[in-house]
Amino acid sequence: MTGTADAAHTASKQRQDEFTWGHQALRADFAVAADGTLRLVRLAHSDDDRPAAPHSALPLVELTALGHGSGWSGPRFTGTAFGARLAHRTHRTDRRDGWDRLTVELHDPGTGLTAFVELTSPTGVPVLRSRVRLRNEGREPLVVQSVSSLLLGGLPAPDTLDVHRARNDWLAECRWYAEPLRAAVADIHVDVHEHDSRAALALTGRGSWPTDGHLAMGALTERGGGRAWAWQVESPAGWRWDVGERAHGSYLALNGPTDAEHQWRVRLAPGEEFTTVPGALALGADLDAAIGALTSYRRAIRRPHPDHTALPVVFNDYMNTLMGDPTTAKLLPLIDAAADAGAEYFCIDSGWYDDDTRGWWDSVGAWQPSPRRFPDGGIQAVLDRIRERGMVPGLWLEPEVVGVRSPVAAELPPEAFFQRDGVRLTEQGRHQLDLRHPAARAHLDKTVDRIVGDWGVGYLKLDYNIVVDPGTRAPGDLAPGAGLLGHAHAYLDWLSGVLDRHPGLVVENCASGGMRMDGATLAVAQLQSTSDQQDPLRYPPIAAAAPTAVPPEQGAVWAYPQPGFDDDLITTTLGGALLGRIHLSGHLNRMSEHQLALVRDAVAVYKSIRGDLARSLPFWPLGLPGWTDEWLALGLGVPGDRTAYLSVWRRGGPAGLRVPVRHLAGRTVRADVLHPSSAEAGRAVWDGDGLTVSVPRTPGALLIRLTQDG
């Protein structure tokens, strides 16, 4: 074993069959079981002295392969034949670039399969990241059908745990709900049967929209125990997680795509390798703390970019405004109004390429501007006007699709598109590019280099409005799910290449809103669209819950005030975006001076606090929001500072509410309402343990700054 000199922060030997690894915020205890498999018997904060539970620990890796199935039948991906055979061979540790790393080598002599379990953790953050690299060191091919990314047994008994999931549907994203684990995994009286239950609470994401249906994450909280676990599967395609009962305790299993659920499998010839998608698990004293740790971790794994600290204000012409119908005549007054309101980027959304009288949906792919829409000076005249008004120009693009009527559909080779059984796939009048093919990548590189390099566009909103399930089977793909995962990784590699060539470019990730709000994509893109919800009274629960999935400085929240709104509705739609990335829209050019002043005030408030947002951690003093809740609250605390921010929405119910703020209880705190500026809109009074908030009219939203004195 190799390691650093600081044994307190790296692996240390107790006996030949036990070792510990971690740092000041995380400790992982490992033990070799009687069957030779290595097991993670305990994962906790370093100061947590609760005993390990080796009897209920799982092997470090579970996988299934053709000819090597489960040790016992059931819907779970634990108890596999390989899981019981992959024996500990060696392990090594190091620390570099702010990360602690442990690589464990497991080997099955019978097949020659070796699994390298790559465990990492940002130093000082209670989050464990895991992925598994398989190498076939045998003489025969092996067809893998599933392989775990992260496994953890030894959790408390199901009777004490609640499991949390988040529905994530178009226009209704980030809707968290909870239930007792026992509601899914019944108590079958394990001792009588001398066998664990086969039941499990399992969740999967399918198709090319990985977060369509549910977010690729979840959480467990211990009732009365002061512990919480929150996780994410960092897959841009299929994924699965399940929780269940094991040896009077509970377990968690994180997987990428599987054969049974995603038509995924991969053939490993002798010498070949495959690496899983990563899974990450955060620890906390409660759900807020666990999600806060995930937030810090998400910042640690993402691609560095100036946008993550600059947080410029973006105006986008689409939502409730031009709705895909931009023209020079419509854009020029909007550009002036957006600049006057304080916007720093101006994005022209869909429709700028539409010069087809039959509609653009099934004709896209060439991405050339419409002469009909931009008759005088072309689109360059509009982009120049944006720059003249001191803003960075942006364009909407849907790069992966080619309409069936587009000339590009015939120009590119058939292999550049998704296909099954030799047939090119069509979805809603579009074909799907396969970014593994060099012709597909070259087409998109040429497109983006023209738009960004030649036209001087500094912002791209990359949308994706079809879903392909289960995937593609190009030559070399064993199954459609493997083709989909290969394309999804190639897409992120292509996007990384774009950002390498154009380091100042800002990219917003969108898939009909938040249908691609996965950890892998968020690590590359600078912003994430949270929704396409057009109703300002249905957006608050989305905006309030979005930081569970995306750091606040990446979460794009629409603020679309309209000249037909009253003052309360204008300040509410603006206020809902102030603890995220404010994305202005609306017919600002038709507003009265009084209404424009409300917009300018909100933008000025945002600019005054955005430096804090980029390093803050979220909390929810009223709990995670429900879709129909009358009152909602989102807080952001600034670590190491004496400042916190709180957004409170009232959509109904009583005019006043007490909002507890536990981490500030018992302290002297000053509460200042930053938005709206009118005192008549509401007030907040600190009472020593929390806030008494009053919002006299609905709808209403307050942004409050809490500052500790002394």
Side-chain angles (χ1 to χ4, degrees):
M1 185 183 81
T2 62
T4 65
D6 188 356
H9 297 286
T10 60
S12 61
K13 281 276 190 175
Q14 284 93 46
R15 299 200 314 266
Q16 185 65 27
D17 58 353
E18 294 181 359
F19 65 91
T20 294
W21 168 80
H23 49 72
Q24 65 267 34
L26 185 77
R27 170 177 167 154
D29 295 335
F30 299 86
V32 178
D35 60 5
T37 62
L38 184 69
R39 303 183 180 224
L40 175 55
V41 298
R42 184 171 176 274
L43 182 69
H45 287 274
S46 295
D47 57 358
D48 188 341
D49 58 0
R50 277 171 277 209
H55 63 285
S56 60
L58 289 169
L60 208 54
V61 173
E62 299 267 21
L63 68 95
T64 57
L66 293 181
H68 308 268
S70 297
W72 56 286
S73 296
R76 307 180 351 177
F77 287 99
T78 58
T80 65
F82 261 115
R85 297 206 311 258
L86 284 165
H88 177 236
R89 190 154 72 177
T90 187
H91 60 272
R92 55 189 177 274
T93 71
D94 69 27
R95 170 187 283 179
R96 64 182 186 274
D97 302 326
W99 287 76
D100 282 75
R101 306 171 190 270
L102 168 67
T103 301
V104 177
E105 226 175 280
L106 310 174
H107 185 68
D108 173 41
T111 61
L113 181 69
T114 298
F116 300 87
V117 185
E118 300 171 351
L119 302 175
T120 57
S121 180
T123 305
V125 179
V127 175
L128 176 68
R129 188 190 210 207
S130 173
R131 67 178 185 179
V132 177
R133 177 165 50 92
L134 300 178
R135 179 192 296 162
N136 185 354
E137 297 178 353
R139 298 181 177 180
E140 300 294 331
L142 188 69
V143 177
V144 179
Q145 297 172 282
S146 71
V147 54
S148 61
S149 294
L150 187 152
L151 290 172
L152 180 64
L155 294 169
D159 308 82
T160 67
L161 294 177
D162 292 320
V163 60
H164 304 255
R165 293 170 278 175
R167 292 272 333 169
N168 200 66
D169 300 306
W170 182 52
L171 310 180
E173 291 85 350
C174 300
R175 291 179 291 124
W176 285 85
Y177 61 104
E179 65 175 335
L181 181 54
R182 272 290 180 227
V185 182
D187 183 353
I188 62 169
H189 202 161
V190 168
D191 292 338
V192 168
H193 299 90
E194 298 182 349
H195 206 296
D196 286 327
S197 170
R198 284 188 167 93
L201 192 159
L203 206 63
T204 60
R206 298 172 54 188
S208 55
W209 277 354
T211 56
D212 179 21
H214 278 87
L215 292 177
M217 59 181 301
L220 288 169
T221 52
E222 185 181 20
R223 291 190 295 275
R227 287 184 291 178
W229 302 260
W231 59 84
Q232 66 179 25
V233 185
E234 294 165 18
S235 175
W239 54 270
R240 168 194 167 107
W241 62 255
D242 60 278
V243 292
E245 187 170 15
R246 174 174 170 78
H248 299 290
S250 302
Y251 77 88
L252 167 68
L254 306 185
N255 282 70
T258 69
D259 190 9
E261 290 155 325
H262 307 94
Q263 298 186 38
W264 175 92
R265 56 189 182 277
V266 61
R267 182 189 301 274
L268 294 181
E272 289 187 334
E273 293 189 353
F274 169 77
T275 301
T276 69
V277 300
L281 176 64
L283 311 180
D286 55 24
L287 186 57
D288 284 3
I291 293 177
L294 263 186
T295 302
S296 296
Y297 161 82
R298 288 163 176 159
R299 288 169 173 152
I301 66 169
R302 71 189 176 192
R303 178 189 179 96
H305 197 283
D307 183 80
H308 294 319
T309 53
L311 278 60
V313 174
V314 178
F315 185 97
N316 182 298
D317 69 26
Y318 183 84
M319 189 58 69
N320 294 352
T321 311
L322 300 188
M323 299 296 287
D325 188 27
T327 66
T328 298
K330 293 178 180 179
L331 284 167
L332 293 182
L334 267 181
I335 291 167
D336 290 340
D340 291 342
E344 295 153 304
Y345 280 61
F346 188 103
C347 182
I348 303 171
D349 209 277
S350 60
W352 57 269
Y353 39 79
D354 177 20
D355 206 42
D356 192 323
T357 57
R358 295 167 60 186
W360 59 263
W361 181 264
D362 59 356
S363 65
V364 296
W367 306 115
Q368 294 287 351
S370 163
R372 175 175 58 88
R373 292 181 174 275
F374 308 104
D376 299 318
I379 198 171
Q380 274 295 351
V382 178
L383 300 178
D384 287 344
R385 180 63 165 269
I386 294 170
R387 281 186 282 265
E388 288 168 6
R389 291 308 313 267
M391 297 181 291
V392 176
L395 285 179
W396 179 97
L397 193 66
E398 197 171 359
E400 293 161 85
V401 301
V402 173
V404 296
R405 295 194 297 112
S406 171
V408 177
E411 293 168 359
L412 295 178
E415 297 78 18
F417 298 92
F418 273 32
Q419 56 185 288
R420 295 278 303 280
D421 299 326
V423 177
R424 186 186 300 189
L425 299 184
T426 302
E427 180 66 26
Q428 290 184 263
R430 279 122 171 259
H431 301 307
Q432 165 80 46
L433 288 173
D434 189 335
L435 266 293
R436 296 174 296 175
H437 195 279
R441 184 160 179 158
H443 163 67
L444 291 191
D445 280 341
K446 182 180 179 181
T447 298
V448 171
D449 289 349
R450 179 180 71 250
I451 292 172
V452 177
D454 298 342
W455 300 358
V457 167
Y459 184 100
L460 288 179
K461 178 173 182 173
L462 299 185
D463 211 341
Y464 181 57
N465 291 308
I466 64 170
V467 59
V468 182
D469 186 11
T472 180
R473 191 174 180 184
D477 291 334
L478 192 59
L484 176 60
L485 183 61
H487 157 77
H489 281 142
Y491 168 75
L492 294 179
D493 182 71
W494 167 77
L495 184 54
S496 295
V498 167
L499 291 166
D500 287 342
R501 295 196 307 277
H502 306 286
L505 178 68
V506 176
V507 170
E508 176 190 346
N509 176 56
C510 182
S512 284
M515 301 297 97
R516 214 183 215 176
M517 197 152 43
D518 61 276
T521 306
L522 281 166
V524 180
Q526 286 70 64
L527 291 99
Q528 170 65 52
S529 173
T530 56
S531 186
D532 279 348
Q533 174 56 249
Q534 293 177 247
D535 185 344
L537 298 185
R538 282 179 169 81
Y539 215 126
I542 301 171
T548 60
V550 53
E553 67 274 17
Q554 283 183 274
V557 178
W558 288 105
Y560 33 57
Q562 301 293 349
F565 288 1
D566 64 21
D567 287 3
D568 290 333
L569 193 51
I570 288 175
T571 57
T572 296
T573 188
L574 290 165
L578 297 181
L579 291 188
R581 285 298 294 275
I582 183 169
H583 268 41
L584 274 178
S585 197
H587 293 284
L588 305 188
N589 55 306
R590 302 178 187 172
M591 284 185 161
S592 69
E593 182 54 38
H594 168 74
Q595 291 173 322
L596 282 174
L598 297 178
V599 178
R600 285 193 292 266
D601 285 351
V603 171
V605 167
Y606 180 78
K607 291 179 178 179
S608 74
I609 69 170
R610 60 185 171 185
D612 286 340
L613 305 189
R615 55 196 179 99
S616 63
L617 300 178
F619 63 96
W620 291 268
L622 299 179
L624 291 176
W627 186 246
T628 60
D629 286 356
E630 295 177 324
W631 283 85
L632 309 100
L634 164 66
L636 295 182
V638 183
D641 202 340
R642 297 178 175 272
T643 303
Y645 299 94
L646 189 65
S647 280
V648 179
W649 293 263
R650 181 190 170 211
R651 297 189 292 177
L657 187 74
R658 190 176 183 281
V659 181
V661 186
R662 292 195 303 272
H663 74 282
L664 296 178
R667 305 181 187 182
T668 302
V669 174
R670 191 179 75 192
D672 297 306
V673 176
L674 302 183
H675 171 85
S677 57
S678 171
E680 297 178 355
R683 58 197 299 266
V685 178
W686 182 257
D687 62 15
D689 293 316
L691 281 171
T692 299
V693 178
S694 62
V695 179
R697 299 181 302 275
T698 57
L702 303 182
L703 174 63
I704 305 158
R705 181 173 56 210
L706 303 175
T707 308
Q708 296 182 57
D709 290 341

